[in-house]
Amino acid sequence: MTRSHVARNDTLPAILAARARAASDGRLALDVALGVIAAIGIALWQPPAWAFLLGAAIFLAMFGLWGIADREITERVNASNNRLVGALRVVQLVTIVGGIVAATIACFAVLSVALGTWIS
């Protein structure tokens, strides 16, 4: 069962996990595909504010991949294949780290543009 509302004291990871669990399989796959395609295009083209866009695209892909892995773990909770569940948990850990790095890059890119060439 998925929650359709957010409690006041939910953390950002809890909110993102609830959104990923509420999304359809197709939506999660679309997030991964669009994130990867956009990240490749942005890395090659390097438009203005490309660091922010690249971070956002990678974050989108990591979000979708985490949701797919979480769904697969949930479906195999009573399965006898513990190696697959372990591998999926590693995928989740990698996507969490990748998402944090991508979000950090995006935030620093925004700060870089906002601060510009200010000298303190």
Side-chain angles (χ1 to χ4, degrees):
M1 183 173 155
T2 59
R3 297 184 322 180
S4 61
H5 69 284
V6 177
R8 280 185 78 140
N9 57 353
D10 276 352
T11 62
L12 181 60
I15 293 168
L16 290 173
R19 298 250 334 175
R21 290 179 180 131
S24 67
D25 290 341
R27 173 60 194 258
L28 293 172
L30 183 65
D31 288 347
V32 173
L34 289 178
V36 169
I37 291 168
I40 291 170
I42 292 164
L44 294 175
W45 181 34
Q46 293 188 353
W50 69 273
F52 169 74
L53 296 172
L54 183 64
I58 292 172
F59 184 84
L60 179 65
M62 294 297 110
F63 172 80
L65 192 56
W66 184 92
I68 291 169
D70 185 63
R71 187 150 304 153
E72 291 298 318
I73 289 170
T74 303
E75 290 175 1
R76 289 168 173 72
V77 72
N78 294 326
S80 60
N81 191 351
N82 289 335
R83 285 186 175 179
L84 180 60
V85 172
L88 289 168
R89 293 210 186 273
V90 169
V91 168
Q92 279 189 311
L93 180 63
V94 169
T95 59
I96 289 169
V97 171
I100 290 170
V101 169
T104 303
I105 289 170
C107 288
F108 279 117
V110 168
L111 281 174
S112 173
V113 170
L115 293 176
T117 57
W118 286 3
I119 299 173
S120 57

